Amino acid sequence: MRNQIPDKWNQIANREALIGVGLAIFNFAWWYLFAYGLGSKKPEDYSYILGLPAWFFYSCVVGFVVMVALVTFIVKVFFVEIPFDEEGEEDV
């Protein structure tokens, strides 16, 4: 039974690492698409939101808020607390 618990911990850790990589890829894609999609025009043609260029507002300001909300949701729903003490090994 003791040998099975670290394997389960590794499975959980691998799943959570893949979720983290997925979040990082999503964050980069969000930033890239808005920054280069809306920011590829001439600066004279930019539209502005709250005094910031739209590409910057959507890629950096809104992107930050979206990522904070998404990471908070993912951690609360999909991540598992793993006890590292000897007494809690049977709970996993």
Side-chain angles (χ1 to χ4, degrees):
M1 179 90 175
R2 289 198 93 154
N3 292 336
Q4 293 174 351
I5 292 173
D7 290 338
K8 184 155 177 112
W9 288 351
N10 285 335
Q11 290 173 349
I12 292 170
N14 287 337
R15 181 182 65 114
E16 292 178 358
L18 289 175
I19 290 171
V21 169
L23 285 170
I25 290 170
F26 175 79
N27 187 28
F28 179 75
W30 177 285
W31 177 85
Y32 186 86
L33 292 173
F34 277 107
Y36 286 102
L38 295 176
S40 61
K41 298 184 268 183
K42 291 190 259 178
E44 303 87 43
D45 299 332
Y46 286 166
S47 59
Y48 292 87
I49 301 171
L50 299 174
L52 300 170
W55 66 266
F56 181 84
F57 181 79
Y58 289 119
S59 65
C60 295
V61 177
V62 175
F64 173 74
V65 173
V66 167
M67 285 307 297
V68 167
L70 190 59
V71 168
T72 302
F73 173 77
I74 294 291
V75 168
K76 288 184 182 266
V77 173
F78 293 105
F79 281 25
V80 177
E81 186 173 343
I82 299 174
F84 290 109
D85 56 347
E86 298 273 338
E87 298 160 1
E89 289 182 352
E90 291 82 28
D91 296 340
V92 176

